Amino acid sequence: MSKGKFYLSQYKSDLERHAPDKVWIFDTTLRDGEQMPGVTYTIDEKILIAQKLDELRVPRIEAGFPITSEGETESVKMIAALGLDAQIVALARPLREDIDKALKCDVPYIHIFISTSDLHIETMMKTTREEVLKQTVEGIEYAKEHGVFVEYSPQDATRTDMDYLIEICKAAEDAGAEMLNIPDTVGVMTPRMTYEFFKELKASTRVPLSAHAHNDLGQATANTLAAIEAGAEQAHVCVNGLGERAGNTSLEEVVVCLAAQYEIETGIDTTKIADTSALVERLSGIYMPSSTPIIGDNAFSHEAGIHVHGVLSHSGNYEILSPEFVGKRSRLVAGKHAGRHGISNMIEDLGLDPSRDQLKAIAAEVKKLGDSGKAVTDADLYAIAKHVMDLKDEDYVKLQQLLVVSGNTITPTASVTLIVDGKEHTGSGVGNGPIDSAINAIRNVVNGFAEITLEKFTMKAITGGTDAVADVTVHLKRGEKFVTANGVSGDTVMASVDAILKGMNRLLSKENHVSG
Ligand code: KIV
Ligand code: ZN
């Protein structure tokens, strides 16, 4: 597991703890995560996510619920056949047809669940506690006859009568369940309640306990950690905290908290967390707010003068862990809160050497732009500095002509003529839509000169109607250099092209010489 240096509280809690030395991470991004309204993956996308989770060294991946559809069965089967190091898990109700479908996928591990709260038993399943207990035992015994590992979940456990919950958990163990997963299905617990709940269950059961928390009241991570403090040995998580309603426990948060705050081993390669999160963002279409802990764009960004000064003196002043620990980088951002010290550092990073007066003028321009309500990107800062310092540096890449064709019967295609380093070059590109094809055409030409990757693309509509002004921000990378740039236009394609070209020019400016 990746080791990190952390700058945390020195306060020591003397609360009694029963946490294990190692916690199993059980990822359910492909099952509970896909149950999030609006999220659905193709089989190829599920395979990509499973491979990424395996690279992250997640030991258990719940690949799906095979009984739900032919496509779901097929994808679980294909993921199980990939030969990943992770154990592949299929979800099933304690019914023969569900378990047979899961077995058909050749998984080594079946997760059997059934509701146990009176509310669910009476109003949803219209059955009795006795019948639920009987089905539980029969289902687990049937799965065990086929030699698979069985995990059992009493759904809605945290709203289940405790005596009945203990009775059914014990019956599940006696039937052969090797892991008891306790779902807080609708996220009703607090950390303190969770701790007591798990302590009571642990005292009455033999096999390891697992926590499955939902985030309805924003307490999923805290509740999962409380369950671990009480002795749970496994945490169910989803990348980016996706999942039903407000989501499941976030993988990123639990893994980092366990490493940093608890020194508990998970085996996860934390340096791959940012990449995994970005892949799931792209494939799910659910982009995390910039303020999201650990993986958000602002998690390691600093704008305010005092903070920038602090981070430049010692990163630990405002970064509790090094961004590299989770595969991210620290970023100083120009803006109205920035101090001269920070701006001077960013300008130096741009390879420029302004005089004191020029620096003062640059800082004043940055604040003016910030005051107008605009986020100041790296490309904006460069443009301001160039203007103030009267630098005659020509753009390395200029747009001469762009033609994009799109419609319902053709593949969106773009052709572009660019002036690169004073010479004319033409190229073309296809894509999912007009913006994608235009950007691909530009990249096809420019990548002949320098390898530039587009790491992130976001678009906001500034006004509400179909004539809305598009505000595009891109994150581009060339080697170790990383820049943000922005484009605003009434035409979504041109806003995107403008942002891309500004970012490319920043990366290809004289200070970052192109060779070849
Ligand atoms: O939240 C829940 O109860 C579940 C079960 C299927 C474990 O996802
Ligand atoms: Zn769930």
Side-chain angles (χ1 to χ4, degrees):
M1 149 154 143
S2 350
K3 289 258 178 274
K5 185 152 178 54
F6 310 111
Y7 299 95
L8 301 164
S9 174
Q10 290 171 23
Y11 178 74
K12 295 266 178 278
S13 155
D14 60 3
L15 276 181
E16 179 198 10
R17 279 192 188 165
H18 307 272
D21 296 338
K22 175 169 169 109
V23 165
W24 295 89
I25 296 298
F26 178 113
D27 180 275
T28 180
T29 304
L30 295 173
R31 198 278 298 168
D32 217 335
E34 207 201 16
Q35 284 172 220
M36 185 157 194
V39 175
T40 162
Y41 305 111
T42 63
I43 294 186
D44 288 347
E45 289 171 341
K46 285 191 173 193
I47 289 177
L48 278 179
I49 293 175
Q51 286 167 329
K52 198 76 180 170
L53 291 171
D54 197 51
E55 279 174 35
L56 189 64
R57 307 219 63 75
V58 165
R60 290 171 180 161
I61 299 174
E62 188 165 50
F65 189 6
I67 194 75
T68 52
S69 74
E70 280 311 312
E72 184 83 350
T73 312
E74 194 52 26
S75 62
V76 176
K77 200 175 163 72
M78 284 173 77
I79 292 169
L82 290 173
L84 303 178
D85 287 335
Q87 281 178 303
I88 305 304
V89 185
L91 184 69
R93 291 167 299 178
L95 302 174
R96 278 186 182 231
E97 51 169 338
D98 279 38
I99 295 166
D100 286 341
K101 270 269 186 225
L103 291 168
K104 271 211 179 112
C105 299
D106 285 329
V107 289
Y109 194 132
I110 298 186
H111 172 200
I112 293 180
F113 78 101
I114 188 166
S115 287
T116 51
S117 67
D118 288 336
L119 187 63
H120 279 204
I121 292 176
E122 286 161 20
T123 65
M124 203 165 78
M125 299 161 69
K126 310 233 183 299
T127 183
T128 59
R129 287 187 183 185
E130 292 70 31
E131 182 54 29
V132 167
L133 195 138
K134 183 166 163 275
Q135 275 189 34
T136 292
V137 170
E138 286 175 3
I140 294 171
E141 283 177 352
Y142 181 66
K144 283 310 299 172
E145 279 166 24
H146 294 82
V148 287
F149 187 97
V150 173
E151 173 167 333
Y152 173 67
S153 285
Q155 192 179 28
D156 209 14
T158 52
R159 292 193 298 175
T160 298
D161 169 68
M162 185 50 102
D163 290 339
Y164 177 60
L165 184 63
I166 290 174
E167 183 188 351
I168 204 160
C169 283
K170 283 180 156 176
E173 279 180 337
D174 291 343
E178 289 142 297
M179 174 75 74
L180 292 173
N181 178 53
I182 308 302
D184 183 18
T185 302
V186 285
V188 294
M189 299 297 268
T190 66
R192 193 172 273 255
M193 283 160 76
T194 304
Y195 180 83
E196 298 294 336
F197 200 87
F198 271 76
K199 232 177 99 185
E200 192 165 346
L201 275 174
K202 198 164 168 61
S204 315
T205 52
R206 300 187 307 272
V207 302
L209 296 181
S210 162
H212 177 111
H214 277 269
N215 207 26
D216 296 68
L217 296 174
Q219 304 194 58
T221 297
N223 287 341
T224 300
L225 295 171
I228 292 168
E229 285 192 13
E233 292 173 56
Q234 178 176 272
H236 277 211
V237 295
C238 285
V239 175
N240 296 343
L242 299 188
E244 289 272 7
R245 306 178 308 281
N248 284 63
T249 306
S250 135
L251 176 146
E252 307 74 63
E253 291 175 10
V254 165
V255 167
V256 172
C257 289
L258 287 178
Q261 298 179 307
Y262 292 80
E263 294 180 34
I264 291 180
E265 180 69 34
T266 58
I268 298 295
D269 179 355
T270 57
T271 62
K272 303 225 162 74
I273 283 181
D275 267 6
T276 311
S277 157
L279 178 79
V280 172
E281 276 189 327
R282 187 162 64 75
L283 299 182
S284 65
I286 309 278
Y287 288 88
M288 295 294 107
S290 52
S291 56
T292 308
I294 301 158
I295 42 120
D297 281 346
N298 287 346
F300 299 96
S301 297
H302 314 278
E303 178 189 317
I306 294 172
H307 285 230
V308 170
H309 180 71
V311 164
L312 288 173
S313 316
H314 187 296
S315 63
N317 282 325
Y318 290 103
E319 287 180 351
I320 55 165
L321 49 98
S322 79
E324 293 75 21
F325 181 67
V326 291
K328 290 190 70 89
R329 54 179 94 73
S330 187
R331 231 160 50 84
L332 302 185
V333 181
K336 70 174 180 184
H337 304 107
R340 219 172 308 150
H341 187 55
I343 291 186
S344 156
N345 211 278
M346 286 176 250
I347 296 281
E348 201 178 293
D349 218 40
L350 295 176
L352 303 175
D353 185 19
S355 66
R356 269 175 78 89
D357 284 350
Q358 285 172 331
L359 187 60
K360 224 162 128 185
I362 294 168
E365 283 300 314
V366 166
K367 282 175 186 285
K368 209 157 101 192
L369 194 58
D371 275 338
S372 73
K374 200 175 172 302
V376 185
T377 64
D378 300 331
D380 293 330
L381 179 63
Y382 186 67
I384 291 172
K386 247 171 63 169
H387 177 72
V388 169
M389 295 170 74
D390 202 21
L391 297 175
K392 295 285 175 272
D393 178 12
E394 281 273 307
D395 279 346
Y396 193 82
V397 185
K398 281 194 253 177
L399 178 66
Q400 180 141 311
Q401 192 181 51
L402 173 71
L403 192 68
V404 184
V405 194
S406 179
N408 65 337
T409 53
I410 53 161
T411 304
T413 308
S415 66
V416 69
T417 305
L418 298 175
I419 307 295
V420 184
D421 201 15
K423 292 192 201 83
E424 193 175 293
H425 294 268
T426 54
S428 60
V430 291
N432 287 336
I435 295 175
D436 195 32
S437 61
I439 291 177
N440 286 340
I442 293 172
R443 288 163 76 189
N444 288 344
V445 174
V446 175
N447 280 353
F449 300 84
E451 182 76 22
I452 293 180
T453 50
L454 174 60
E455 295 217 319
K456 195 159 194 165
F457 177 98
T458 46
M459 181 184 287
K460 280 192 302 209
I462 296 179
T463 45
T466 51
D467 61 345
V469 171
D471 181 341
V472 172
T473 303
V474 294
H475 293 199
L476 297 176
K477 197 174 161 209
R478 177 176 172 224
E480 286 306 302
K481 282 261 169 207
F482 170 85
V483 294
T484 55
N486 174 263
V488 178
S489 168
D491 178 323
T492 52
V493 176
M494 288 318 296
S496 313
V497 166
D498 189 31
I500 290 281
L501 288 178
K502 274 188 195 154
M504 284 181 163
N505 277 314
R506 183 68 280 290
L507 288 172
L508 296 168
S509 64
K510 268 196 213 129
E511 301 75 30
N512 298 306
H513 287 290
V514 179
S515 48

